[in-house]
């Protein structure tokens, strides 16, 4: 079984950076980061196909974070990280990592594809 583990809640000023981490125990599945803003549905922001080899899996981003967020896998430590740069107030929300199956190394950002969820991490970006 896979049990994602989130880092603790964090706060930062707009323009700053944060990194969230999730520990994995096996490979060849999708790991995605979701966020939920007050009063809104949980949305996928980034995903990666976890790989046990030297080749990095495909990565996926929603338009609002592309170019600012990076999802990456560190095989040496079995950690998948979401590096968030140039954070904006609208990035504030509760973040989760989640795992789900993959088809031929492809992943998705839709919630329906993920079945195991890590603990919530509050990210607060102030102006």
């Amino acid at each position: 079984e896979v049990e994602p583990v989130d880092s603790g809640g964090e706060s930062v000023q707009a323009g700053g950076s944060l990194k969230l981490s999730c520990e994995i125990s096996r490979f060849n599945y999708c790991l995605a980061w979701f966020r939920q803003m007050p009063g809104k549905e949980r949305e996928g922001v980034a995903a990666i196909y976890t790989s046990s080899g030297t080749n990095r899996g495909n990565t996926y981003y929603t338009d609002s974070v592309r170019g600012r967020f990076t999802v990456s896998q560190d095989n040496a430590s079995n950690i998948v990280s979401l590096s968030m740069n140039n954070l904006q107030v609208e990035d504030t929300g509760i973040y989760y990592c989640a795992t789900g199956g993959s088809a031929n190394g492809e992943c998705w950002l839709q919630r329906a594809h993920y079945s195991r969820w890590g603990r919530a991490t509050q990210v607060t970006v102030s102006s």
Side-chain angles (χ1 to χ4, degrees), residues 4-75:
V5 178
D6 292 306
S7 55
E10 314 215 31
S11 298
V12 68
Q13 288 192 320
S17 299
L18 288 173
K19 177 183 283 190
L20 303 179
S21 298
C22 189
E23 185 175 7
I24 59 176
S25 59
R26 60 185 179 92
F27 303 99
N28 303 318
Y29 59 87
C30 295
L31 188 146
W33 289 94
F34 287 76
R35 68 182 177 195
Q36 188 161 16
M37 300 169 181
K40 295 190 177 181
E41 296 290 322
R42 194 174 300 183
E43 65 167 343
V45 297
I48 187 169
Y49 177 72
T50 62
S51 171
S52 60
T54 55
N55 293 329
R56 291 293 179 258
N58 294 329
T59 56
Y60 306 80
Y61 300 94
T62 194
D63 288 346
S64 63
V65 308
R66 186 174 291 112
R68 299 189 298 122
F69 290 15
T70 302
V71 58
S72 60
Q73 177 186 342
D74 180 348
N75 285 357

Side-chain angles (χ1 to χ4, degrees), residues 110-127:
Q110 288 74 34
R111 182 175 179 177
H113 294 285
Y114 297 86
S115 57
R116 298 201 63 84
W117 293 82
R119 292 190 295 271
T121 300
Q122 176 68 47
V123 171
T124 303
V125 184
S126 58
S127 59

Side-chain angles (χ1 to χ4, degrees), residues 72-91:
S72 60
Q73 177 186 342
D74 180 348
N75 285 357
S77 61
N78 287 357
I79 296 292
V80 175
S81 297
L82 181 67
S83 299
M84 304 183 290
N85 298 315
N86 190 23
L87 282 159
Q88 304 301 310
V89 172
E90 51 266 31
D91 293 317

